[in-house]
Amino acid sequence: MIRVRSVRSRTEGDDVGYIRITQFNEQTSDGLKKAISDITTQVANEKLKGYVLDLRNNPGGLLDQAISVSDAFLERGEIVSTRGRNARKPSAYSARAGDLTKNKPIIVLINGGSASASEIVAGALQDHKRATILGTRSFGKGSVQTIIPLGNNNGALRLTTARYYTPSGKSIQAKGIVPEIEVLQDVPDDLKGRTDTKGEPRCAGHLKVQEGDEKTGSQSYIPPDVKNDKALNEALELLRGTKSNPAFPPNTKAALAPQQ
């Protein structure tokens, strides 16, 4: 069986931990724990300024892994809820005590290619004011799909059965997660117009929003050379204190998520 490595990490300079999650598969939660352990082994706690969690162009994956990843950064509170036709009976998933980063500052990077499970993580950390979200608006894939086998080798039926909601009760579907700090990359001329995602509202047969306006896609380009990555470099500057923004660090007293 081929195992796809979904988590990669490194230290930026000698004071910031960088963790990139490319998808949410069976190994993601364990990969995240190892990444945090590796970083804390390399950088002393008093020297570690914080973490960059890169979820850009992450198309999503397993719900339980998104919950586990969110839980790694939270002490308590709701992470995500799903609501089907009977809105009075939502299913909610909550964090357990134990922030693996010991409450170090976190900046989450997202863009137009961040969808589904990655939006659940970004939404949970944003609503709890545990992290500042930086980049461009995410894809807006906030629907729960259930696969129903038809039997007798007749294939299966995929049904949209519910919607995902962030802890504050906001629907992700066809709206996405909006970053507190928007950073647009400088896209090469030959790629302009080709790297922006269309977003969930442009997908045929997508689930319509229940309230408000639908939002189309956004920029999804990531420069191959780190020195040209404006989003990452701004995150590093904020964590190191060489640049300031009212959105960082987030005001925990203004958390939108209900605490448990």
Side-chain angles (χ1 to χ4, degrees):
M1 184 173 73
I2 298 176
R3 292 181 179 272
V4 178
R5 184 180 175 188
S6 61
V7 181
R8 298 180 183 276
S9 65
R10 64 177 184 264
T11 56
E12 285 287 344
D14 58 357
D15 58 355
V16 175
Y18 171 85
I19 302 172
R20 175 160 173 73
I21 301 179
T22 57
Q23 62 175 298
F24 289 85
N25 61 20
E26 292 87 348
Q27 291 81 43
T28 301
S29 178
D30 289 340
L32 174 65
K33 293 174 184 176
K34 183 179 185 303
I36 294 173
S37 177
D38 289 347
I39 290 168
T40 54
T41 298
Q42 296 173 49
V43 184
N45 184 63
E46 63 273 11
K47 197 171 184 180
L48 185 61
K49 302 291 188 183
Y51 294 85
V52 175
L53 179 62
D54 194 345
L55 300 177
R56 292 177 295 178
N57 292 343
N58 179 326
L62 301 175
L63 173 61
D64 68 314
Q65 295 293 305
I67 293 169
S68 183
V69 167
S70 302
D71 191 7
F73 302 105
L74 296 171
E75 286 287 354
R76 64 186 185 278
E78 185 178 299
I79 292 172
V80 66
S81 64
T82 62
R83 302 176 199 171
R85 293 196 175 194
N86 188 350
R88 295 181 180 179
K89 294 183 178 180
S91 297
Y93 304 88
S94 299
R96 296 167 295 180
D99 180 346
L100 299 184
T101 64
K102 300 179 180 178
N103 205 37
K104 287 290 185 180
I106 300 169
I107 294 179
V108 178
L109 304 183
I110 63 171
N111 65 8
S114 306
S116 190
S118 56
E119 293 176 291
I120 289 173
V121 175
L125 299 185
Q126 182 180 59
D127 280 2
H128 283 282
K129 298 299 180 184
R130 179 63 187 90
T132 296
I133 313 300
L134 185 151
T136 61
R137 187 180 57 255
S138 63
F139 189 85
K141 181 64 174 177
S143 59
V144 181
Q145 295 182 322
T146 302
I147 306 297
I148 302 175
L150 297 178
N152 298 323
N153 296 319
N154 288 323
L157 184 65
R158 184 172 68 178
L159 295 177
T160 299
T161 55
R163 299 171 189 258
Y164 289 124
Y165 290 82
T166 70
S168 65
K170 294 183 295 186
S171 173
I172 297 170
Q173 178 62 22
K175 292 185 176 182
I177 301 297
V178 179
E180 286 94 354
I181 304 174
E182 183 182 53
V183 176
L184 296 173
Q185 303 283 5
D186 293 328
V187 182
D189 290 340
D190 60 328
L191 293 177
K192 286 181 177 178
R194 295 164 51 192
T195 60
D196 290 4
T197 62
K198 294 181 179 180
E200 179 72 3
R202 297 288 183 87
C203 297
H206 77 277
L207 191 63
K208 303 292 184 181
V209 299
Q210 294 175 313
E211 297 179 359
D213 298 327
E214 296 185 340
K215 303 296 183 181
T216 54
S218 73
Q219 193 180 73
S220 64
Y221 176 72
I222 303 175
D225 193 328
V226 172
K227 74 174 187 293
N228 297 325
D229 189 340
K230 293 173 67 175
L232 174 57
N233 286 309
E234 179 152 342
L236 295 175
E237 289 180 310
L238 289 168
L239 286 167
R240 289 169 176 153
T242 57
K243 188 171 187 177
S244 64
N245 188 292
F248 180 82
N251 179 9
T252 55
K253 294 181 179 179
L256 299 173
Q259 301 299 311
Q260 298 172 341

